Amino acid sequence: MAEEVKLFGMWASPFSRRIEVALKLKGIQYEYIEEDLSNKSPSLLKYNPVHKKIPVLLHKGKPVAESLVILEYIDETWKHNPILPADPYERAMARFWAKFLDEKLWPAAKKVALSKGEEHNGLIEEIQEHLKTLESELKEKKFFGGESLGFVDIAADIIFWLLVVQETLGLDILTEDKFPGLHEWYHRLLDDAVFKECVSMERLLASFKVRFGALTASK
Amino acid sequence: MAAISLQTETMAEEVKLFGTWASVFSRRIEVALKLKGVQFEYIEENLSNKSPALLKYNPLHKKIPVLVHNGKPVAESLVILEYIDETWKHNPILPTDPYEKAMARFWAKYMDDKLLPAAIKVAMSKGEEQKGVIEEIQKQLKTLESELKEKKFFGGESLGFVDIAANTIVWLVVAQEALGMEILTEEKFPVLHGWYQRLVDDAVFKECMPPREQHLSFVKVRFGSSTPSK
């Protein structure tokens, strides 16, 4: 092979899955290494000594860590099928929204998942505020990236994890009546040839039910 | 002020920066704009009484800095820095090589995700808790020292993206003096100390630093009550 691309990841991590989506969108061949996060490989620790986290992309022996940093690296290295817009202002908007997803939506979604069926209320409202924001950003567009799946859509894969958490815990957070735009958007994503190869709701649900099933709130 | 409005009327583009004088994030944008010689109008915000303009341009976070270029707002300091670099392409602050760029983004993120929260925590804590946070920061500084190595700046020969994002360290040095802490010392961090001296001596960077006495007072007033007894 002309170049060697390896991805150290974990199947149930949205951050890891983002990288798989990007690599597949660009048709890049890569070797995937599934990490056991309770027993991290010496390679992972060598390639990400600072954070010791997945995902890590290894390209020609050089490691890149942090999913959004990796996505930009992929886009700049393999320039076909771009995932970021070309215009600097549009790029800034894409980066802004990806940051919003990671810094606002993801922590709130994680909190709900770990809240063990109690004290949900404030969190649900907080998440719904964020979803409302995303819904108005999406507007009439097919994807956040416009006509096709882009940087923000890939970063927004965390919404699927939110859907899995809400179903597992029996909560109503992202519903079709409250968020018709987002609802259509995620169905479009689930239908996308590349995306559906990378995110399996069934597998996530099965795993989350085992992890959180005992904590299901009584409705 | 008249000179500025004349400029914005006749210039092809209009650049405004909404910021605050003591904000590490706001000052980053000033450094980048000045490094590229971009003329801009600066609006000092009062964060306890935010202007309608700020709320209009950053409705989601309602925070500074916000850069407004030809009427279009950009928020989040690292996002703004990249926008500036891609819009005004001379005197680049990011490397051109994709791998070097990725490294720069990684370390800038490190500054904001790790160093900055720890720096805020250290200013707000006292006693044993503060000692623990100081150790945490020093581990981070050690990591940064090994990243810097023999280089003049994180960006290499000249000040770049990571150096600008690392202005947090300058704020940390002010905080340690204002609050009587010992965190970044020359003996513990000779390499970083050398870098810090080069940064604050840099013509552009020093123009963008908050006036020292005011900055020290500001930190003392804001965090002073948690000062540990030495």
Side-chain angles (χ1 to χ4, degrees), chain A residues 82-119:
Chain A
I83 50 184
L84 273 156
D87 172 69
Y89 189 75
E90 296 307 313
R91 289 162 77 85
M93 293 305 99
R95 289 172 177 139
F96 176 89
W97 288 110
K99 214 171 188 286
F100 173 78
L101 286 158
D102 278 0
E103 291 177 6
K104 299 289 177 193
L105 186 61
W106 175 250
K110 242 172 64 169
K111 259 202 260 182
V112 159
L114 298 172
S115 63
K116 302 187 201 300
E118 295 141 23
E119 300 148 31

Side-chain angles (χ1 to χ4, degrees), chain A residues 20-31:
Chain A
E20 294 188 60
V21 171
L23 290 169
K24 287 186 152 73
L25 275 171
K26 292 182 183 260
I28 299 163
Q29 304 285 1
Y30 64 99
E31 180 191 344

Side-chain angles (χ1 to χ4, degrees), chain A residues 78-162:
Chain A
W78 293 276
K79 296 191 206 282
H80 58 282
N81 296 1
I83 50 184
L84 273 156
D87 172 69
Y89 189 75
E90 296 307 313
R91 289 162 77 85
M93 293 305 99
R95 289 172 177 139
F96 176 89
W97 288 110
K99 214 171 188 286
F100 173 78
L101 286 158
D102 278 0
E103 291 177 6
K104 299 289 177 193
L105 186 61
W106 175 250
K110 242 172 64 169
K111 259 202 260 182
V112 159
L114 298 172
S115 63
K116 302 187 201 300
E118 295 141 23
E119 300 148 31
H120 278 146
N121 285 337
L123 284 174
I124 292 178
E125 266 132 40
E126 187 190 327
I127 295 176
Q128 289 180 325
E129 275 308 304
H130 298 324
L131 293 175
K132 208 172 286 169
T133 299
L134 289 166
E135 179 105 351
S136 20
E137 172 54 25
L138 185 60
K139 287 185 275 271
E140 302 294 311
K141 290 181 295 190
K142 233 174 123 180
F143 294 103
F144 287 99
E147 273 306 296
S148 53
L149 214 152
F151 190 71
V152 180
D153 302 279
I154 298 174
D157 72 339
I158 57 178
I159 291 177
F160 291 89
W161 269 252
L162 177 67

Side-chain angles (χ1 to χ4, degrees), chain A residues 50-51 62-66 69 72-73 76-77 88-89 91-93 95-97 99-100 103-104 133, chain B residues 60-61 72-76 79 82-83 86-87 98-99 101-103 105-107 109-110 113-114 143:
Chain A
V50 175
H51 300 303
K62 285 154 80 163
V64 187
E66 295 297 301
V69 175
E72 296 230 31
Y73 174 77
E76 289 164 4
T77 302
Y89 189 75
R91 289 162 77 85
M93 293 305 99
R95 289 172 177 139
F96 176 89
W97 288 110
K99 214 171 188 286
F100 173 78
E103 291 177 6
K104 299 289 177 193
T133 299
Chain B
L60 182 56
H61 300 305
K72 285 153 81 165
V74 186
E76 295 296 303
V79 175
E82 295 228 34
Y83 174 78
E86 289 169 2
T87 302
Y99 189 75
K101 246 198 199 149
M103 293 304 97
R105 289 177 176 134
F106 176 89
W107 288 109
K109 205 173 192 294
Y110 183 85
D113 291 350
K114 299 287 174 193
T143 299

